[in-house]
Amino acid sequence: MAGRTVRLVLLVGAAALASGSQGDREPVYRDCVLQCEERNCSGGALKHFRSRQPIYMSLAGWTCQDDCKYECMWVTVGLYLQEGHKVPQFHGKWPFFRFLCFQEPASAVASFLNGLASLVMLCRYRTSVPASSPMYPTCVAFAWKMDYFCASTVILHSVYLCCVRTVGLQRPAVASAFRALLLLMLMAHVSYLSLVRFDYGYNLAANVAIGLVNAAWWLTWCLRNRQRLPHVRKCIVVVLLLQGLSLLELLDFPPLFWVLDAHAIWHVSTIPVHVLFFSFLEDDSLYLLKESEAKFKLD
């Protein structure tokens, strides 16, 4: 134990000079994982592991190596707490208690609730807004992305939605070119995180930067049209709330009770914001439909 403690202290002192997460660089963690894999992840031991592994774990893709990393993570966390050090991250994430096959159960539940709210609002939008509305295809696509794609995609699509609303309805070619640019940005972003390095700091900075562009663009348009279009006040509230709630993503702290972290709290907090934003989209789409019908009658 004394040898492990010495290595732990040395690692904590050198953390700022090294790359990667502090926890998975810890020699105790690496030794534990290596020994666990040698003991359980080959030959007859591996067959035994697979025979006792719950079916939902195997279907979710949990391997023997993953199980070793999970168990050794808690061994290392226990050592850190015992020595009075702060809880470290492992592979870019905080340690979470696993529930069934979910590594981050609170975030999973919160994401499900977010998706459910988005689906309900999509059904309401499709019921109340005719498909002939100029913004209908873009808004419906935004709703599906809210359900199934990552945060980066949602933010970029919100920027595209703003572009279509402020510029694209009058200049479709500009919106098409801008969409191609955003797709290239997304492909480059995902490729870097997937093929080069999953850098949490870079991912957060990129999302914050594009989020600021999104907020500034929407706010500028809303403020210019708030007298003519009363319903844009909903959009103003949404943008301001999202910017405030985004601070939760910056408040990176170890999960409470090893379950609830800032990301999960952010997911839950944004559910009413999404409902309000879809309400704005519904009002704005109906306004545009009436406007286009009025112009058609005049022509």
Side-chain angles (χ1 to χ4, degrees):
M1 179 61 71
R4 290 183 176 183
T5 302
V6 170
R7 285 185 292 175
L8 178 59
V9 172
L10 289 175
L11 180 66
V12 171
L17 303 177
S19 60
S21 297
Q22 185 171 320
D24 55 81
R25 293 196 316 268
E26 166 57 41
V28 172
Y29 172 80
R30 292 186 176 187
D31 291 345
C32 176
V33 172
L34 181 61
Q35 294 173 17
C36 177
E37 290 180 351
E38 291 177 347
R39 186 171 58 250
N40 300 302
C41 300
S42 61
L46 178 59
K47 293 181 180 179
H48 177 68
F49 169 82
R50 289 173 175 170
S51 66
R52 62 184 176 85
Q53 184 185 36
I55 184 64
Y56 57 82
M57 293 291 286
S58 59
L59 290 175
W62 279 88
T63 65
C64 180
Q65 289 78 7
D66 294 329
D67 208 57
C68 284
K69 291 177 181 178
Y70 177 78
E71 298 297 335
C72 292
M73 175 183 71
W74 289 113
V75 171
T76 309
V77 168
L79 181 58
Y80 266 72
L81 294 177
Q82 180 182 332
E83 298 299 325
H85 299 295
K86 294 182 179 179
V87 176
Q89 290 188 341
F90 295 80
H91 305 286
K93 298 182 179 180
W94 293 109
F96 289 86
F97 275 143
R98 184 175 64 196
F99 177 72
L100 298 178
C101 59
F102 299 104
Q103 179 67 47
E104 300 179 27
S107 289
V109 172
S111 297
F112 171 77
L113 293 176
N114 246 317
L116 182 61
S118 179
L119 182 61
V120 170
M121 294 307 295
L122 170 63
C123 293
R124 172 178 165 174
Y125 180 90
R126 297 183 67 175
T127 301
S128 59
V129 178
S132 56
S133 175
M135 289 292 292
Y136 184 89
T138 308
C139 291
V140 169
F142 178 76
W144 283 119
K145 287 179 184 298
M146 289 286 287
D147 273 341
Y148 298 113
F149 288 83
C150 63
S152 301
T153 308
V154 172
I155 298 172
L156 286 174
H157 196 82
S158 180
V159 175
Y160 174 66
L161 186 67
C162 187
C163 175
V164 172
R165 181 60 181 92
T166 59
V167 180
L169 294 179
Q170 295 77 31
R171 300 179 179 87
V174 174
S176 298
F178 190 68
R179 178 177 58 189
L181 175 62
L182 292 178
L183 286 173
L184 287 175
M185 290 174 59
L186 180 62
M187 290 174 59
H189 179 71
V190 173
S191 297
Y192 175 77
L193 293 176
S194 303
L195 304 176
V196 180
R197 179 190 176 196
F198 187 84
D199 188 330
Y200 178 82
Y202 155 75
N203 185 51
L204 180 62
N207 286 333
V208 169
I210 197 68
L212 290 174
V213 172
N214 180 57
W217 198 342
W218 273 116
L219 275 180
T220 300
W221 177 80
C222 288
L223 292 175
R224 287 179 176 176
N225 293 275
R226 67 185 185 280
Q227 299 297 333
R228 186 171 62 90
L229 305 173
H231 61 268
V232 303
R233 295 171 186 172
K234 294 180 180 180
C235 187
I236 294 175
V237 173
V238 167
V239 172
L240 294 178
L241 283 177
L242 280 179
Q243 290 305 113
L245 291 173
S246 64
L247 294 176
L248 289 172
E249 288 285 62
L250 302 178
L251 297 176
D252 202 19
F253 55 84
L256 302 174
F257 310 108
W258 309 115
V259 173
L260 191 64
D261 67 333
H263 185 64
I265 297 173
W266 179 82
H267 264 303
V268 173
S269 303
T270 56
I271 292 175
V273 179
H274 291 157
V275 173
L276 184 60
F277 188 57
F278 272 103
S279 178
F280 157 72
L281 293 178
E282 180 182 339
D283 292 344
D284 196 52
S285 296
L286 291 174
Y287 164 79
L288 289 172
L289 180 61
K290 291 180 180 179
E291 187 181 52
S292 63
E293 289 177 346
K295 289 181 179 180
F296 179 77
K297 289 179 180 179
L298 290 176
D299 294 338

